[in-house]
Amino acid sequence: MKRLAVYCGSATPSDPRYVQLAYDVGKALAEQGIGVVYGGGRLGLMGATASGALDAGGEVIGVIPEALVGENGKGGEVANRDCTELHIVKDMHERKAAFTRLSDGFVVLPGGVGTMDELWEAVSWAQLGYHAKPIGVLNAFGFYDGLLAFNRHMAEVGFVRPAHQGIILDAPELAPLLDLMRHQAPITPIVAMDPSTL
Protein backbone atom coordinates (compact mmCIF):
# COMPACT_ATOMS: atom_id res chain seq x y z
CA MET A 1 0.00 0.00 0.00
CA LYS A 2 1.90 3.02 -1.27
CA ARG A 3 -0.98 5.47 -0.82
CA LEU A 4 -4.17 5.36 1.21
CA ALA A 5 -7.24 7.53 0.89
CA VAL A 6 -8.14 8.81 4.35
CA TYR A 7 -11.82 9.60 4.82
CA CYS A 8 -12.66 11.75 7.84
CA GLY A 9 -14.62 14.78 9.00
CA SER A 10 -13.91 18.39 8.11
CA ALA A 11 -15.46 19.41 11.44
CA THR A 12 -13.59 19.93 14.70
CA PRO A 13 -15.40 18.11 17.54
CA SER A 14 -15.20 19.53 21.06
CA ASP A 15 -13.43 16.35 22.20
CA PRO A 16 -9.76 16.95 21.32
CA ARG A 17 -9.05 13.22 21.03
CA TYR A 18 -10.50 13.17 17.52
CA VAL A 19 -8.21 15.84 16.09
CA GLN A 20 -5.21 14.26 17.82
CA LEU A 21 -6.19 10.87 16.38
CA ALA A 22 -6.27 12.30 12.86
CA TYR A 23 -2.89 13.98 13.31
CA ASP A 24 -1.39 10.77 14.68
CA VAL A 25 -2.77 8.73 11.77
CA GLY A 26 -1.30 11.10 9.20
CA LYS A 27 2.04 11.04 11.01
CA ALA A 28 2.08 7.24 11.34
CA LEU A 29 1.26 6.71 7.68
CA ALA A 30 4.04 9.07 6.62
CA GLU A 31 6.52 7.36 8.91
CA GLN A 32 5.68 4.06 7.19
CA GLY A 33 6.20 5.59 3.76
CA ILE A 34 2.49 5.54 2.95
CA GLY A 35 1.19 8.60 1.10
CA VAL A 36 -2.09 10.23 2.15
CA VAL A 37 -4.85 11.02 -0.33
CA TYR A 38 -7.56 13.09 1.32
CA GLY A 39 -10.20 15.75 0.79
CA GLY A 40 -7.84 18.69 0.35
CA GLY A 41 -9.21 20.88 3.16
CA ARG A 42 -7.30 22.49 5.99
CA LEU A 43 -10.03 22.28 8.64
CA GLY A 44 -11.07 19.66 11.18
CA LEU A 45 -9.83 16.10 11.10
CA MET A 46 -8.98 16.45 7.43
CA GLY A 47 -6.55 19.27 8.10
CA ALA A 48 -5.09 17.45 11.10
CA THR A 49 -4.44 14.31 9.05
CA ALA A 50 -2.63 16.34 6.40
CA SER A 51 -0.62 18.23 9.03
CA GLY A 52 0.48 15.01 10.72
CA ALA A 53 1.67 13.54 7.45
CA LEU A 54 3.36 16.73 6.25
CA ASP A 55 5.10 17.28 9.60
CA ALA A 56 6.57 13.78 9.25
CA GLY A 57 7.78 14.49 5.72
CA GLY A 58 5.10 12.43 4.00
CA GLU A 59 3.34 12.77 0.68
CA VAL A 60 -0.10 14.40 0.90
CA ILE A 61 -2.38 14.60 -2.12
CA GLY A 62 -5.49 16.72 -1.65
CA VAL A 63 -8.55 16.40 -3.88
CA ILE A 64 -11.14 19.14 -3.45
CA PRO A 65 -14.15 20.26 -5.53
CA GLU A 66 -14.14 23.80 -6.93
CA ALA A 67 -17.08 24.84 -4.76
CA LEU A 68 -15.21 23.98 -1.55
CA VAL A 69 -11.90 25.67 -2.34
CA GLY A 70 -12.83 28.99 -0.73
CA GLU A 71 -11.10 32.29 -1.28
CA ASN A 72 -9.58 34.72 1.20
CA GLY A 73 -10.76 32.56 4.09
CA LYS A 74 -14.41 32.75 3.01
CA GLY A 75 -16.64 29.82 2.20
CA GLY A 76 -16.15 26.12 1.85
CA GLU A 77 -13.41 24.09 3.48
CA VAL A 78 -10.68 26.39 2.17
CA ALA A 79 -8.13 24.39 0.23
CA ASN A 80 -4.92 23.31 1.93
CA ARG A 81 -2.20 24.83 -0.25
CA ASP A 82 0.50 23.04 1.79
CA CYS A 83 -0.28 19.68 0.17
CA THR A 84 2.37 17.94 -1.89
CA GLU A 85 -0.22 18.00 -4.68
CA LEU A 86 -3.62 19.68 -4.71
CA HIS A 87 -6.14 18.55 -7.31
CA ILE A 88 -9.13 20.84 -7.80
CA VAL A 89 -11.94 18.88 -9.44
CA LYS A 90 -15.38 19.76 -10.75
CA ASP A 91 -17.59 18.05 -8.18
CA MET A 92 -17.92 15.35 -5.51
CA HIS A 93 -18.26 12.58 -8.09
CA GLU A 94 -14.89 13.46 -9.60
CA ARG A 95 -13.43 13.75 -6.10
CA LYS A 96 -14.42 10.23 -5.08
CA ALA A 97 -13.30 8.79 -8.42
CA ALA A 98 -9.91 10.46 -7.87
CA PHE A 99 -9.65 9.02 -4.35
CA THR A 100 -10.14 5.55 -5.82
CA ARG A 101 -7.76 6.12 -8.72
CA LEU A 102 -4.93 7.61 -6.64
CA SER A 103 -5.00 5.25 -3.66
CA ASP A 104 -4.33 1.60 -2.89
CA GLY A 105 -6.98 1.42 -0.18
CA PHE A 106 -9.20 3.42 2.16
CA VAL A 107 -8.91 4.24 5.86
CA VAL A 108 -12.01 5.69 7.48
CA LEU A 109 -11.59 7.87 10.57
CA PRO A 110 -14.46 9.41 12.54
CA GLY A 111 -16.58 11.80 10.52
CA GLY A 112 -20.08 12.80 9.54
CA VAL A 113 -22.37 12.53 6.54
CA GLY A 114 -19.64 13.15 3.94
CA THR A 115 -17.45 10.48 5.47
CA MET A 116 -20.36 8.03 5.45
CA ASP A 117 -21.03 8.82 1.80
CA GLU A 118 -17.39 8.07 0.95
CA LEU A 119 -17.32 4.87 3.00
CA TRP A 120 -20.48 3.35 1.57
CA GLU A 121 -19.56 4.24 -1.99
CA ALA A 122 -16.19 2.53 -1.55
CA VAL A 123 -17.99 -0.55 -0.17
CA SER A 124 -20.57 -0.54 -2.95
CA TRP A 125 -17.89 -0.21 -5.62
CA ALA A 126 -15.98 -3.13 -4.08
CA GLN A 127 -19.13 -5.28 -4.18
CA LEU A 128 -19.64 -4.40 -7.85
CA GLY A 129 -16.01 -4.95 -8.78
CA TYR A 130 -15.12 -1.35 -9.65
CA HIS A 131 -12.11 -1.72 -7.36
CA ALA A 132 -10.45 -4.47 -5.31
CA LYS A 133 -8.87 -2.26 -2.65
CA PRO A 134 -9.11 -2.81 1.12
CA ILE A 135 -11.45 -0.67 3.19
CA GLY A 136 -10.50 -0.19 6.85
CA VAL A 137 -12.64 1.49 9.50
CA LEU A 138 -10.61 2.85 12.41
CA ASN A 139 -13.06 2.35 15.26
CA ALA A 140 -11.24 4.58 17.74
CA PHE A 141 -13.09 5.35 20.98
CA GLY A 142 -15.89 3.02 19.83
CA PHE A 143 -17.06 5.72 17.40
CA TYR A 144 -18.18 3.19 14.79
CA ASP A 145 -19.69 0.57 17.11
CA GLY A 146 -23.21 1.36 15.89
CA LEU A 147 -22.24 1.41 12.22
CA LEU A 148 -20.45 -1.93 12.47
CA ALA A 149 -23.43 -3.42 14.31
CA PHE A 150 -25.75 -2.15 11.58
CA ASN A 151 -23.52 -3.64 8.90
CA ARG A 152 -23.72 -7.00 10.70
CA HIS A 153 -27.52 -6.59 10.92
CA MET A 154 -27.75 -6.01 7.15
CA ALA A 155 -25.77 -9.21 6.63
CA GLU A 156 -27.93 -11.18 9.08
CA VAL A 157 -31.10 -10.07 7.32
CA GLY A 158 -29.62 -10.99 3.94
CA PHE A 159 -28.87 -7.61 2.35
CA VAL A 160 -25.11 -8.20 2.38
CA ARG A 161 -24.07 -11.38 0.59
CA PRO A 162 -21.79 -13.81 2.47
CA ALA A 163 -19.01 -13.15 -0.07
CA HIS A 164 -19.10 -9.46 0.81
CA GLN A 165 -19.34 -9.59 4.58
CA GLY A 166 -15.57 -9.17 4.90
CA ILE A 167 -15.28 -6.02 2.80
CA ILE A 168 -15.31 -3.68 5.80
CA LEU A 169 -12.32 -4.34 8.02
CA ASP A 170 -12.15 -2.72 11.43
CA ALA A 171 -9.85 -2.28 14.40
CA PRO A 172 -9.60 0.24 17.25
CA GLU A 173 -5.98 1.14 16.42
CA LEU A 174 -4.15 1.90 13.19
CA ALA A 175 -1.40 -0.76 13.28
CA PRO A 176 -3.71 -3.80 13.46
CA LEU A 177 -6.07 -2.18 10.94
CA LEU A 178 -3.26 -1.77 8.39
CA ASP A 179 -2.24 -5.38 9.00
CA LEU A 180 -5.79 -6.55 8.26
CA MET A 181 -5.85 -4.43 5.12
CA ARG A 182 -2.55 -5.83 3.86
CA HIS A 183 -3.76 -9.39 4.27
CA GLN A 184 -7.39 -9.15 3.17
CA ALA A 185 -8.55 -12.11 1.10
CA PRO A 186 -9.77 -11.28 -2.42
CA ILE A 187 -13.47 -10.38 -2.69
CA THR A 188 -15.63 -11.94 -5.41
CA PRO A 189 -17.55 -9.07 -7.01
CA ILE A 190 -21.18 -9.38 -8.06
CA VAL A 191 -20.22 -9.28 -11.75
CA ALA A 192 -18.14 -12.45 -11.28
CA MET A 193 -20.86 -14.41 -9.44
CA ASP A 194 -23.17 -17.01 -10.90
CA PRO A 195 -26.44 -15.12 -11.54
CA SER A 196 -28.46 -18.06 -10.19
CA THR A 197 -26.88 -17.53 -6.75
CA LEU A 198 -27.60 -13.80 -6.51
Side-chain angles (χ1 to χ4, degrees):
M1 298 186 295
K2 295 180 179 178
R3 290 179 183 155
L4 290 174
V6 178
Y7 292 154
C8 59
S10 61
T12 302
S14 57
D15 186 337
R17 294 182 302 169
Y18 290 101
V19 172
Q20 187 63 53
L21 171 73
Y23 182 91
D24 292 344
V25 165
K27 182 174 183 286
L29 291 175
E31 289 173 346
Q32 295 180 52
I34 300 172
V36 169
V37 181
Y38 88 115
R42 63 172 180 80
L43 304 178
L45 272 67
M46 287 172 50
T49 301
S51 293
L54 290 167
D55 288 351
E59 176 190 48
V60 176
I61 299 175
V63 185
I64 190 167
E66 295 170 345
L68 298 180
V69 171
E71 296 179 2
N72 300 319
K74 297 179 181 178
E77 296 173 359
V78 186
N80 185 352
R81 304 288 181 178
D82 294 330
C83 293
T84 310
E85 297 177 23
L86 181 64
H87 300 258
I88 299 174
V89 296
K90 181 180 177 182
D91 54 33
M92 296 297 283
H93 296 292
E94 286 189 15
R95 182 193 222 181
K96 289 184 286 185
F99 286 148
T100 303
R101 184 179 70 253
L102 294 169
S103 70
D104 300 311
F106 311 87
V107 172
V108 184
L109 307 187
V113 172
T115 305
M116 296 302 94
D117 174 54
E118 292 163 342
L119 165 63
W120 290 116
E121 182 162 293
V123 172
S124 177
W125 286 16
Q127 289 180 340
L128 294 170
Y130 291 137
H131 73 76
K133 301 174 181 183
I135 302 165
V137 170
L138 185 59
N139 189 25
F141 322 123
F143 182 82
Y144 282 120
D145 284 351
L147 179 140
L148 296 168
F150 180 64
N151 190 56
R152 288 191 298 273
H153 176 64
M154 288 193 293
E156 290 164 1
V157 172
F159 287 113
V160 178
R161 293 170 178 86
H164 300 148
Q165 291 175 14
I167 288 177
I168 296 179
L169 305 170
D170 69 277
E173 297 177 354
L174 183 63
L177 182 62
L178 293 178
D179 191 54
L180 287 172
M181 293 172 68
R182 289 185 180 104
H183 297 98
Q184 184 181 39
I187 300 296
T188 303
I190 289 172
V191 295
M193 291 180 172
D194 180 343
S196 66
T197 66
L198 297 177

